[in-house]
Amino acid sequence: IKHMANVPYDVRMALKSSKYASYHVDEMARLQMPDHSLLYRLRVDNNSGNKIAFENAGAIDNESLYYTEHGRLVRTANGNDE
């Protein structure tokens, strides 16, 4: 998925109302599961896409968020855990 507009409305609204609302979305993907359901993976970070971490700027948090097409968050994974 190349643009957030291609992510279902319910997923966009769930992200907007979550603790990750201010995070930068780095990557989006639609995943077909073995049971034929769809999940949407949003890779987000709290450093606005900046790859350079500055000393004393706080911790950088990278997360992968997995949503159903109806906007239910079903899994989160730390960027280092995947």
Side-chain angles (χ1 to χ4, degrees), residues 1 11 27 29 73 81:
I1 300 174
V11 174
E27 183 182 319
L73 181 62
D81 291 345

Side-chain angles (χ1 to χ4, degrees), residues 29-80:
R30 182 174 53 217
L31 308 173
Q32 180 87 38
M33 304 311 290
D35 66 358
H36 302 290
S37 64
L38 292 175
L39 286 183
Y40 290 84
R41 181 186 66 216
L42 305 178
R43 290 190 174 160
V44 298
D45 65 54
N46 65 347
N47 64 340
S48 301
N50 185 355
K51 301 295 182 194
I52 301 171
F54 295 98
E55 188 175 339
N56 298 324
I60 295 174
D61 186 19
N62 296 302
E63 299 284 337
S64 289
L65 311 175
Y66 294 82
Y67 288 95
T68 67
E69 60 190 317
H70 303 292
R72 187 168 66 90
L73 181 62
V74 293
R75 178 177 177 230
T76 62
N78 183 284
N80 299 324

